[in-house]
Amino acid sequence: MNNINQLRRLVAVLPLLLMLLPITAEARRRAENKLVTDAQAAEARKDWDVALELYKKVLDADPRDTAGQLGLQRSRFEAGQLHLMKGRELRQQGHLEEAAAEFQKGLRADPGSSIHLQEFNTTVRMIQEAKTGPAKPPSEVGVTPAEMDRRRMIAKLRSIDGIPELKPLQRELSTLKMNNATPKVLYETVGKLAGINVIFDPQFQPSVRNANLDLNNTNLDDALDYIALITHTYWKAITSNAIFVTDDNPTKRRDYESVAVKTFYLENPTTPQDFQEIVTAVRSVSDCRRLYTANALNAVIARCTVDQLALVEKLIHDLDKPKPEVLVDVIVLDVNRTHTRDLSASIQAGTGFGLQAPVVFTPGGKTTTTSSGSDTTSGTTTTSVFTLGRLKHLSINDFSTTLPNALLNAVLSDSDTKVLQSPQLRAVDGGKATLNIGSKIPFASGSYQPGIGGVGVNPLVQTNFQYADVGVNITLQPRIHSVSGEISLHVEVDISNVVDHVNFSGLDQPVIGQKKDTTDIRVRDGEVTLLGGLMNTTDSDTGGGIPGLVNIPVLGHFFFGNSHKERDKEELLIAVIPHIVREESLDDVNTRGISAGTEQTVQLRYSHPVETAKPGTSGPAAAPEPVSPPVPTSDPALQGPSAVVPQIAAKAAFVPPHLETHVGNPVIPTLQIENATDVFSAGVRVKWDPKVLRLNSIAPGQFLSSAGQNLNAPVEIHNDTGEATIMLSRLPGAAGVQGSGPLATFSFTAIGPGTSTVTVTELSPRNTKQEAIDVTPPAMTVVVK
């Protein structure tokens, strides 16, 4: 009885449960949609951690939810990347503990990513090393071992010396004359004058014993090349202030000629063929045999002598240029006009214009056929016999005929079609550009039978199809002549359409009408050129009708015949207009020739412009360009406030202002004056550290001795106290000097390590009226190592 009662209660509650089930499912769907919406909003805010948790709840409620699955994968990756970037940033700042925590969060967010585990383990090792290892500077606390090793490698690479370049104390040599001197004496003398060291090969045995040398106003490199030429020797720079000299023969060059390595990254080759053409040309001209390519980076690695490497660099600079480009406007105008007129008169349908009116014998109003004996009257067929005795009673009423129907037709049609194509094509110099506007039409190109048919076997035949481009097809290939501004064009214009179909063995094949123009032209930039102009007019006139009647004027063709007139007029115009949008970027470096040595040896020569030495260098110094003084005007109309010419204050300076050298080397600074006006005399007093420098001599500069005037220049030198004076004065009656130039040149020798400041304690230039010129005394710093 209890079971029966429980069953009754279950039966009573079951309908209620069935009613509540849809409501519960709808509420669940609403909750899931709400979670998806909130997760998408978190994604929009870039709050990936919140989005990840919400998508997890969506999948907990419904593991098959597609939006939740996609969103979960996306949020995992983005949340992991966010914590990865935060951890690396914290580690770079030296916050190792916080960085490790971020890597842990990233690992929990995206457990499938191994980068978080690697970064976490690296950070943990760094924390342990910081606790147990030696103290690191703050800049290296957050640097990983791999990054530290990379920094050491970069620092080592940067410390590799480049190609040695001479930086003498005095590059310009005014006068040098030596007679019957050995090659060693010639080299050493030039080295002393320029302030460089000369090192000779221990086996140095020049073929020329003695030689004469007479040089005027030359530079150091040219002087060394002159000596090498007349003594058959070879020299090379080994440091910034030393050269090595040996015999000039293939053996010594192989043993001592320096080899350099450099990687060149080409920017403009776009195809492997262009890249290889440049490399081949450079290898052939420079004679650099060790020239290797990295096609993936468009890079060229060269290992050859210094001069060969410089020639390779020059050739790559000349050849690595962007190709010129052309934009071509193509205008295709096709005009078709058809005028048709049809006039016709049809007497009987289906019989043309022949007069066919049959006469029927109908005695008594009946239609009689004597051969069959059957009469037909008003749709009724009867049989009667016509006796010969009734022939005498025949009349016209016993015969009948049927008149044919008449149809008049007059049709006039006029159609006008215009097709305009105006495409633009852009192509590089020597490249090919193709434009196809239209459709691909299939056509059968052949058939084959793979098997032989037999009894009960059908032969299998397969038809091959090809496709024809139908429409407007344009192909062009430009060649730009930059000097003349003209363009050579190879142009192919093909205009085609399907005009008909023919049947071949059960296959409908298209008949393609074609208008094609192929030409090679040379035009100017922006010039309009007509490639093809076709004008075709076709007139046709056909007629027919009843003979005789059709020839009646005016009415004959209209009532007794037909007339068809058609006029087709077609005009086709093809024009091209090229425009140069990029030309060759050539400069004077690309177009001028250079000296490249002899047939056996590549040797480049350089012209060294005189440059002002920068602080901290011992390079050559340049005298500043003279500045002309203001010229007063005597025109009364120009007098007044507007005619005042600003005066530029005179100043003095040492060139170079800072110099570094070694013990035993000469130090030769020059005292310059700039923007001076009417200078007649100048007294100069200098002071220096006698423990570091020793003054050998003071030579008057060319500023006050210009225009061929001699100078009075008494000199006093006191090396024990480190002081010296020189009085510069032009001869009595001479005019003053204006502009800029050297006042005096001091010849020191570095005698001890240290730093000495060469100071002008007194500088008193005066003009021709013995008035003082205001100039601030300069100073220079000399560091001796």
Side-chain angles (χ1 to χ4, degrees):
M1 291 297 295
N2 292 333
N3 294 334
I4 295 175
N5 293 333
Q6 290 179 358
L7 182 61
R8 289 176 179 175
R9 286 195 296 270
L10 180 60
V11 171
V13 176
L14 183 61
L16 181 61
L17 294 177
L18 293 176
M19 294 176 60
L20 294 177
L21 184 61
I23 299 176
T24 305
E26 180 66 22
R28 186 183 301 108
R29 283 195 296 271
R30 290 180 180 178
E32 293 176 2
N33 293 336
K34 180 65 167 57
L35 290 174
V36 172
T37 302
D38 293 342
Q40 292 175 350
E43 284 187 271
R45 299 192 306 268
K46 306 297 182 183
D47 195 350
W48 299 108
D49 290 333
V50 175
L52 179 61
E53 296 300 326
L54 291 173
Y55 280 123
K56 287 181 179 179
K57 293 180 180 179
V58 172
L59 293 180
D60 290 340
D62 185 5
R64 295 175 298 177
D65 190 283
T66 305
Q69 292 175 355
L70 296 177
L72 180 65
Q73 297 299 327
R74 184 170 57 251
S75 300
R76 281 188 184 279
F77 175 77
E78 296 293 345
Q81 291 297 313
L82 179 63
H83 290 295
L84 180 66
M85 290 187 295
K86 287 183 178 179
R88 287 176 174 174
E89 183 178 355
L90 290 171
R91 188 173 61 190
Q92 290 177 358
Q93 297 174 358
H95 306 300
L96 301 181
E97 300 288 347
E98 294 84 346
E102 287 294 334
F103 292 136
Q104 281 183 324
K105 293 179 182 178
L107 186 60
R108 287 195 297 268
D110 191 6
S113 177
S114 59
I115 185 65
H116 302 89
L117 181 60
Q118 295 175 2
E119 295 290 346
F120 175 75
N121 293 333
T122 301
T123 307
V124 170
R125 287 195 299 269
M126 293 174 62
I127 294 174
Q128 295 175 353
E129 290 177 0
K131 293 180 179 178
T132 60
K136 295 182 179 180
S139 59
E140 298 181 3
V141 172
V143 181
T144 64
E147 181 64 23
M148 182 62 67
D149 184 68
R150 184 175 180 275
R151 288 187 181 183
R152 295 193 189 100
M153 180 188 67
I154 295 298
K156 184 177 181 180
L157 293 178
R158 289 177 177 173
S159 65
I160 298 177
D161 290 337
I163 299 173
E165 182 180 355
L166 279 180
K167 296 180 181 179
L169 299 177
Q170 185 70 27
R171 186 175 293 275
E172 300 300 322
L173 305 178
S174 58
T175 302
L176 179 61
K177 184 174 182 180
M178 302 180 67
N179 295 325
N180 199 25
T182 62
K184 282 190 175 184
V185 173
L186 294 177
Y187 276 110
E188 290 175 346
T189 303
V190 172
K192 290 295 183 181
L193 292 176
I196 63 172
N197 300 316
V198 181
I199 301 173
F200 293 94
D201 182 8
Q203 301 176 355
F204 182 56
Q205 295 179 356
S207 58
V208 177
R209 296 294 182 182
N210 298 311
N212 300 328
L213 185 64
D214 190 356
L215 301 177
N216 292 307
N217 298 324
T218 186
N219 59 59
L220 174 62
D221 295 87
D222 291 340
L224 295 175
D225 289 338
Y226 296 156
I227 298 174
L229 180 63
I230 63 177
T231 60
H232 301 290
T233 55
Y234 160 70
W235 71 272
K236 70 171 186 178
I238 55 177
T239 62
S240 61
N241 65 343
I243 64 172
F244 175 81
V245 180
T246 186
D247 300 328
D248 189 5
N249 55 61
T251 303
K252 292 297 183 180
R253 281 189 174 271
R254 185 183 64 248
D255 294 340
Y256 292 108
E257 196 166 20
S258 299
V259 175
V261 178
K262 187 173 181 179
T263 303
F264 302 92
Y265 296 92
L266 280 65
E267 298 180 0
N268 298 292
T270 56
T271 63
Q273 180 181 358
D274 296 341
F275 179 62
Q276 291 298 330
E277 286 180 356
I278 293 177
V279 174
T280 301
V282 172
R283 180 185 290 112
S284 301
V285 175
S286 66
D287 200 24
C288 181
R289 296 178 177 84
R290 295 183 179 180
L291 202 64
Y292 308 97
T293 60
N295 295 330
L297 299 176
N298 269 5
V300 180
I301 306 170
R303 183 179 185 271
C304 44
T305 65
V306 174
D307 288 327
Q308 287 177 340
L309 186 64
L311 184 57
V312 168
E313 186 172 11
K314 198 270 181 188
L315 294 175
I316 290 180
H317 174 73
D318 293 343
L319 299 178
D320 186 21
K321 298 290 184 181
K323 289 186 177 181
E325 293 188 40
V326 176
L327 180 67
V328 182
D329 294 321
V330 182
I331 301 175
V332 180
L333 179 62
D334 191 2
V335 179
N336 294 310
R337 183 172 184 178
T338 302
H339 182 83
T340 305
R341 190 200 67 182
D342 288 315
L343 297 177
S344 63
S346 178
I347 302 300
Q348 186 175 5
T351 61
F353 291 93
L355 185 56
Q356 299 179 6
V359 178
V360 181
F361 178 58
T362 56
K366 297 179 181 180
T367 300
T368 303
T369 303
T370 57
S371 61
S372 61
S374 61
D375 295 338
T376 303
T377 303
S378 302
T380 304
T381 302
T382 61
T383 303
S384 62
V385 178
F386 185 80
T387 62
L388 296 177
R390 297 175 60 182
L391 291 176
K392 62 181 180 178
H393 302 291
L394 290 177
S395 66
I396 194 172
N397 293 325
D398 293 325
F399 296 91
S400 64
T401 185
T402 302
L403 295 177
N405 296 327
L407 177 63
L408 298 179
N409 184 24
V411 179
L412 178 66
S413 64
D414 192 353
S415 63
D416 193 356
T417 304
K418 295 182 179 180
V419 179
L420 176 63
Q421 299 282 354
S422 183
Q424 286 185 332
L425 285 84
R426 182 165 177 168
V428 298
D429 185 31
K432 181 180 291 187
T434 303
L435 176 66
N436 298 321
I437 304 175
S439 306
K440 285 185 174 291
I441 304 299
F443 63 92
S445 60
S447 302
Y448 68 90
Q449 181 173 329
I452 300 177
V455 179
V457 179
N458 293 326
L460 302 177
V461 178
Q462 182 172 346
T463 303
N464 297 328
F465 286 90
Q466 293 184 1
Y467 293 86
D469 291 322
V470 176
V472 178
N473 305 309
I474 302 172
T475 301
L476 60 87
Q477 187 172 7
R479 176 67 67 182
I480 300 174
H481 310 281
S482 300
V483 177
S484 60
E486 296 181 342
I487 308 164
S488 294
L489 283 175
H490 174 77
V491 185
E492 296 181 7
V493 180
D494 184 359
I495 303 173
S496 57
N497 62 327
V498 178
V499 297
D500 200 357
H501 286 81
V502 295
N503 188 283
F504 288 104
S505 301
L507 292 175
D508 285 335
Q509 298 294 308
V511 178
I512 300 175
Q514 187 180 51
K515 306 177 185 70
K516 188 172 183 179
D517 190 308
T518 302
T519 184
D520 291 283
I521 58 176
R522 179 164 176 164
V523 295
R524 295 188 302 272
D525 182 14
E527 180 180 353
V528 181
T529 301
L530 298 179
L531 296 184
L534 173 64
M535 297 183 64
N536 184 23
T537 303
T538 303
D539 292 328
S540 63
D541 190 355
T542 60
I546 302 175
L549 298 180
V550 74
N551 295 326
I552 299 175
V554 182
L555 301 178
H557 283 289
F558 189 77
F559 291 102
F560 303 103
N562 67 355
S563 175
H564 176 79
K565 289 186 177 181
E566 182 175 352
R567 168 170 287 187
D568 294 332
K569 186 176 182 181
E570 181 180 6
E571 296 181 7
L572 176 64
L573 178 67
I574 303 173
V576 295
I577 310 172
H579 305 279
I580 299 177
V581 295
R582 179 186 288 123
E583 293 183 339
E584 289 181 324
S585 56
L586 300 179
D587 51 27
D588 58 339
V589 177
N590 305 129
T591 56
R592 72 184 183 92
I594 62 173
S595 174
T598 64
E599 180 68 22
Q600 301 296 329
T601 304
V602 175
Q603 184 177 11
L604 304 186
R605 298 176 60 87
Y606 300 89
S607 58
H608 295 275
V610 180
E611 301 176 354
T612 303
K614 299 180 180 180
T617 64
S618 58
E625 297 182 357
V627 179
S628 301
V631 179
T633 177
S634 58
D635 190 351
L638 298 179
Q639 299 296 329
S642 61
V644 175
V645 180
Q647 299 291 330
I648 302 177
K651 62 179 181 179
F654 275 112
V655 179
H658 181 87
L659 191 144
E660 293 183 2
T661 186
H662 296 274
V663 175
N665 289 341
V667 178
I668 308 176
T670 301
L671 178 62
Q672 296 276 141
I673 189 169
E674 302 174 9
N675 306 325
T677 304
D678 191 24
V679 180
F680 182 81
S681 63
V684 180
R685 182 185 296 272
V686 295
K687 187 174 181 60
W688 68 94
D689 188 356
K691 297 180 181 179
V692 179
L693 299 175
R694 182 181 70 248
L695 182 59
N696 302 318
S697 62
I698 306 176
Q702 298 179 356
F703 179 70
L704 290 179
S705 63
S706 60
Q709 291 290 333
N710 295 323
L711 294 179
N712 294 323
V715 177
E716 292 183 7
I717 299 176
H718 304 280
N719 279 308
D720 54 343
T721 59
E723 292 182 343
T725 58
I726 181 173
M727 298 300 298
L728 303 170
S729 176
R730 295 174 64 80
L731 297 178
V737 182
Q738 61 185 14
S740 303
L743 279 178
T745 300
F746 300 84
S747 178
F748 292 92
T749 299
I751 60 175
T755 301
S756 174
T757 301
V758 181
T759 306
V760 178
T761 58
E762 180 181 349
L763 180 58
S764 56
R766 295 182 179 273
N767 57 20
T768 53
K769 298 180 181 179
Q770 296 301 311
E771 297 174 348
I773 300 175
D774 187 15
V775 178
T776 302
M780 71 170 294
T781 303
V782 180
V783 179
V784 180
K785 300 179 180 179

